[in-house]
Amino acid sequence: MTPKLLRRAREALDSFAIETPSWGFADTGTRFGKFFQDAAAIDLNDKLADAGEVNRVTGCCPTVAVHVLWDFKAGDDPKRVAKLARQHGVQIGAINPNLFQDQCYKWGSFGHNDPAVREHALQHCYDSIAIGQAVGSEYVSLWFADGTNYPGQGSIRERKAYFTAALQACHEKLSAKQTMLVEYKPFEPAFYHTDIADWGMSYLLCKKAGPRSKVLVDTGHHYSAQNIEQIVAWLLDEDMLGGFHFNDRRYADDDLTLGSIDPYQAFRIFHEIHFFAADRGRMPKIAYMIDQSHNEKPKIEATIQTVLMAQELYVKAALVDHAALRKAQAKNNVVDAELELKKAFFTDVAPAFAAWRKANKLPADPLADHRKSGYERQAATERKRRRQELGIVQGGGYA
Amino acid sequence: MTPKLLRRAREALDSFAIETPSWGFADTGTRFGKFFQDAAAIDLNDKLADAGEVNRVTGCCPTVAVHVLWDFKAGDDPKRVAKLARQHGVQIGAINPNLFQDQCYKWGSFGHNDPAVREHALQHCYDSIAIGQAVGSEYVSLWFADGTNYPGQGSIRERKAYFTAALQACHEKLSAKQTMLVEYKPFEPAFYHTDIADWGMSYLLCKKAGPRSKVLVDTGHHYSAQNIEQIVAWLLDEDMLGGFHFNDRRYADDDLTLGSIDPYQAFRIFHEIHFFAADRGRMPKIAYMIDQSHNEKPKIEATIQTVLMAQELYVKAALVDHAALRKAQAKNNVVDAELELKKAFFTDVAPAFAAWRKANKLPADPLADHRKSGYERQAATERKRRRQELGIVQGGGYA
Amino acid sequence: MTPKLLRRAREALDSFAIETPSWGFADTGTRFGKFFQDAAAIDLNDKLADAGEVNRVTGCCPTVAVHVLWDFKAGDDPKRVAKLARQHGVQIGAINPNLFQDQCYKWGSFGHNDPAVREHALQHCYDSIAIGQAVGSEYVSLWFADGTNYPGQGSIRERKAYFTAALQACHEKLSAKQTMLVEYKPFEPAFYHTDIADWGMSYLLCKKAGPRSKVLVDTGHHYSAQNIEQIVAWLLDEDMLGGFHFNDRRYADDDLTLGSIDPYQAFRIFHEIHFFAADRGRMPKIAYMIDQSHNEKPKIEATIQTVLMAQELYVKAALVDHAALRKAQAKNNVVDAELELKKAFFTDVAPAFAAWRKANKLPADPLADHRKSGYERQAATERKRRRQELGIVQGGGYA
Amino acid sequence: MTPKLLRRAREALDSFAIETPSWGFADTGTRFGKFFQDAAAIDLNDKLADAGEVNRVTGCCPTVAVHVLWDFKAGDDPKRVAKLARQHGVQIGAINPNLFQDQCYKWGSFGHNDPAVREHALQHCYDSIAIGQAVGSEYVSLWFADGTNYPGQGSIRERKAYFTAALQACHEKLSAKQTMLVEYKPFEPAFYHTDIADWGMSYLLCKKAGPRSKVLVDTGHHYSAQNIEQIVAWLLDEDMLGGFHFNDRRYADDDLTLGSIDPYQAFRIFHEIHFFAADRGRMPKIAYMIDQSHNEKPKIEATIQTVLMAQELYVKAALVDHAALRKAQAKNNVVDAELELKKAFFTDVAPAFAAWRKANKLPADPLADHRKSGYERQAATERKRRRQELGIVQGGGYA
């Protein structure tokens, strides 16, 4: 790497942070079952501790997204939770209401045709927004499992109207510091129609809800063959990109570690962001978050791996020579334009990482350091014992 | 069919018209070659005659979409063309500029980075709009082959800006009677990114262009598994659905006859329209058009077949019992709600067609009547001879 | 319907049976949660009773597929189970081993690299085969969740060898009456690679296992756009089609009721079977089975609905005029050939069903009869009470 | 790179050759049109010269695949063609019959229901096989456009029988040196069903044809989400992998340069080959070929780019540490197993290429050298002039 590239890489590293999800440290699985891990987090303290461990070795995960239903109990003092996070070296990030697990959501949450259920869902969102304000979080992150399984089951337009009204109501509760992220997903758990199926629907609802509402792009929530980076470029151009849920996939919403299946696609997403920033002279504010569910990989290792891959691809994308790229584009020199991207993608950025980690007193090899630390072994022992004490049976079986 | 259903079916038949495409009567094919037909139309007169034949037997195809580049020659008097159409019993429908065939469009039309090419494309659109005004057509229908084949090739945002400006310029030229339809397509002929890839992009550009700009839904221009009827329902709800290009597909943009692969999907699209109309108390204005390319089926037969299928599915969708459907939806009785749709879909509507055709003095069996008429045999003989006289070699071969 | 068609429809109805799955009557869901039903079956007796109810009203579901792990307890006498089934008016059908739920299967069953796990899985299959022999079942139905989530995780070829050996070992245990069905699935729960991903892999493994091994086609286990009926036609031609798991889907393996999304596709599958039978002069032996998982629809109603749709599409496919079809095919008259299929698909077969049901002393409207019977209400009351007595908490929540 | 890796990389470079396609140097396009290039090859001499230029700068493209219909004229002496190729520094590689362009193939070639057409197609294959023998080529490469566009159009099983017989007949004509490659493709130009739709169908037909018949994998001929490297691993394991047609794609069969959209997938394909070779102790014989169609990129540049990417990914895949990979696999250490692949993929292999090129007296930068050589400019001038002399109009327009 030339000194110029090294500098650019280090600037990129300085500016990049990615949020880990509290639920990524607990046991999760597929509808066919879960494979349990002794070291899986039991409670919020475990999750925050695990998030702290990830941040300790990577140095770029200062915040943790929380799931209100799973992480907060009635009567919990949010400020106490914020303090607990700080004790583990992290801060509370995006607040995620849960609008799908309660039996009352069988036919939807914001899209339900029973006003009482919509009200119930709304109240939970208000509570989540209030928690966010109490802990100083900037984001409320909304994902809806709403939809229908069969043609005719629901009125698509009626449900759209319910969503519009509920999102507007949420928006009114936001503080000036808070942004509401609205996620889209084309299928699952609803199979015939999902109420917010694509970025266009998310965009429309955000526009109707109010100016502090932005689109959340989950990289696994697209159709096969869809060009995600184009969506990112359009949302940036419209000032409507709020953030990301990062993961990777082959077929559906597989929640694999970022870049494990298609690293070049993730690189291209980051490239569109850097390219936009170069054109505008400022880096847009984007919430980079992870949303993954690991049934096989050790959860902390998987999270570290995803974080490192995100950092690496973000840095590589920062190395694209925009001047050369624009020049090739201006001449419609497709071969050279493409090669500019490939060159950056295949640049060996190890020297930049080494220097940056040293300067920031971080382990040279985060994954190795985590393994050597004995953290997981200890967590496994302690949590296994605690499960026994609490009478928690890891399992539950077939969904 | 009960008298009530019969009446509803006949009302639906009375209100439904579908536009045939002039280019559907000429030789077309795939990139691997064309299979030629003696009866294929050579010039606009042939195409209008063929469209007239389709309208003669079906009684519901009063207009023909035309392709400016292929159907109009420099110096042609549009009014003469309109008169020619009338002589064949049809009228000129949507005007389709051609923004992809000229060598200057190698890197795009409205999305090209050379202002001279954008100006050239714009001028062609102005001419097309003027032709539309001269012939009394209500629609200008825009499809763009624009896009890029490789990551990095073009600036997605820059091209978006070019499109925004050009569409706004077009919109200014529209008369009060004209509507500009903007089509989207996720891939082909551009393979990496298409400038207007999905309904959301089309919607955004239309909104920026002006109030007489609406989204055109081509049923073949979607990702596998995408729920098209939901898009239709959203666009209706936003008053942004301009029209359809009907065809069917299995894998990509296959341009097969409507309902040949998935008739239930086409039915569901019509259902969303009827359901919307029932809720609003009025049928929305929608341009129903065919866009198909037949390499194997005789072109007029294929068009008749598509028209009959469109009519049949439109009528079946009109038979859905909205009161019963809403009742089942209100109770979240998924089974009954679904069965309401299935019941209508599988209703035998032959009696309604028989009565309607008789009342309108149409052939009882349009396809059989066309075959019996000898039209195709005659066209084949005459056009074969004419090709020889004109020195036209059917062919061209491998693209 | 003409008398000839009526007769053909009734013959089809006489010859068609479809097997219900015991697990389809119990609570199931998605990885995001389950919505519980009071009337959901608790134990095998409930499941057999529910299957009996479906058979009572439809008259075409004489057998029930069972899941060894969930339906049989250690020490159970299979003959007692068979007797229990008979008491509910049904018989035990396909035996389904469970090779994915035990924690030992984290890295696979037949594909695991630990010989002890493979042996464990094998032993469970041997037990299942023995159960099948004891209850007089003809089918052992094998589905494997095996695969890997990440590139590099496993050796694809090594795992193929393990599968080959294990399936051969299973085949040796089969009685002369038993057939081993091998299912394929392109993804889920494994996300990077599934050991038996498509029909070709299933075919190859069956060929290596032995002559009583056949391919099982689950209609939901394909890539988007894949032509399932072609696979069916090829497998029939190779005498390698063992049976079906019927369901429908939009995006992934959605396990919806058959024909709810694309009834014409299911019809075409049946058409290929009838067409094959017509050519060979005999109906091939095929295990028609349902594999669905209902989170929202009442389970018995959903099963009845699927059964009725299967019957209806099977009968419609039996009405295709093969002579006319062959004639149109011979002339490459695509339009007429296609219309032969469409004509049969849209034939109103209600008269045939009415006559057949009357002749077989079946309810004229199976779904209505089931609803009127009070079966579900009674089951709900009784099972709710029993759950309380047994201390069973319906739930478990997020996977 | 360590000396050990350097050595392994150079061994890989020594062993790798990739074949260019003669048709890749001529004007091609999409069904919407072609964009012409002055430097596009006009005749076989041009194509061989262009292939020679690619080989000159890359040093790994010693052979050229030819298309019998386009490259050979009746009466041509194949030996003269072979000599011409040698004069341009290359040899004739795979022989490709053309079974789709003649009007007689409207309803298929080997799958046509008219025995005369099948015979015509067969004769063309015999001629192609004879040409192959005359020029010393090892491969006859068969791709079929056969299929149907509509349900019911043809008898899938009858067509399968025709294919089986014709391929057997071809196989009998092969010399001991020749291998017959049978390609599969899921769609296009047939839209409803393709006679050889997937690897399983190709495999089955090859097995029936005879031992010198192998499967040809075109990387663009798969369903979205399909795991191509698994198919490659299975075919290798069955000794049925004959060769590749390399290209890349996003949505359909887009024929883009290899690795332009998903380089990691191409790497994984090469990895499965090296992994197989490591297990067997020998590199399998595989025909690596390019099949691309460039409408925008300069054709020679695009070919060089694809060749360099193929070499680079092949070399990177050769660097995977198989011992470490097997160890991680044995321990089910998913994270480490995956990282072994990623490490190799992101290794900077420039030093190995520099050394290898120097040792082989090749240009250090093949693309730059080609550009500097003036070859394209000269070809453009000369071919433009020649087109004028020959009265060739570049064009033809809309398909």
Side-chain angles (χ1 to χ4, degrees), chain B residues 181-334:
Chain B
L181 304 173
V182 179
E183 198 168 347
Y184 57 91
K185 188 174 187 188
F187 102 111
E188 195 210 24
F191 296 124
Y192 167 63
H193 115 281
T194 298
D195 281 297
I196 311 180
D198 61 26
W199 76 270
M201 297 180 193
S202 191
Y203 167 92
L204 256 177
L205 290 173
C206 282
K207 279 293 183 190
K208 289 171 197 283
R212 287 200 301 287
S213 186
K214 304 281 176 191
V215 177
L216 177 64
V217 176
D218 182 300
T219 47
H221 294 188
H222 295 85
Y223 299 99
S224 282
Q226 209 166 1
N227 186 323
I228 302 175
E229 57 267 32
Q230 180 181 12
I231 294 171
V232 168
W234 275 63
L235 288 173
L236 282 169
D237 200 54
E238 295 290 323
D239 193 21
M240 287 299 286
L241 178 67
F244 287 97
H245 273 179
F246 279 125
N247 50 58
D248 211 341
R249 66 188 285 268
R250 180 174 63 92
Y251 194 109
D253 182 34
D254 306 340
D255 279 342
L256 303 177
T257 44
L258 180 69
S260 57
I261 302 298
D262 188 353
Y264 192 44
Q265 185 189 60
F267 165 87
R268 293 194 306 261
I269 289 172
F270 286 129
H271 161 63
E272 289 297 337
I273 295 167
H274 287 296
F275 199 29
F276 172 86
D279 283 351
R280 301 291 170 103
R282 61 168 180 85
M283 185 53 76
K285 184 164 165 44
I286 297 170
Y288 296 111
M289 302 179 288
I290 296 170
D291 186 7
Q292 295 172 7
S293 151
H294 295 289
N295 202 18
E296 296 189 345
K297 285 182 177 175
K299 287 142 208 306
I300 297 174
E301 287 194 14
T303 309
I304 292 170
Q305 193 186 18
T306 265
V307 169
L308 298 183
M309 180 52 73
Q311 272 190 312
E312 185 175 332
L313 296 173
Y314 183 84
V315 165
K316 283 167 182 251
L319 302 186
V320 171
D321 183 337
H322 294 133
L325 179 64
R326 277 195 208 94
K327 202 173 140 192
Q329 289 180 345
K331 294 198 271 182
N332 290 308
N333 186 332
V334 186

Side-chain angles (χ1 to χ4, degrees), chain C residues 160 192 198-199 229 237-238, chain D residues 160 192 198 229 237-238:
Chain C
K160 173 173 179 271
Y192 168 63
D198 62 26
W199 76 270
E229 58 267 31
D237 200 55
E238 295 290 323
Chain D
K160 174 173 179 272
Y192 168 63
D198 62 26
E229 58 267 31
D237 199 55
E238 295 290 322

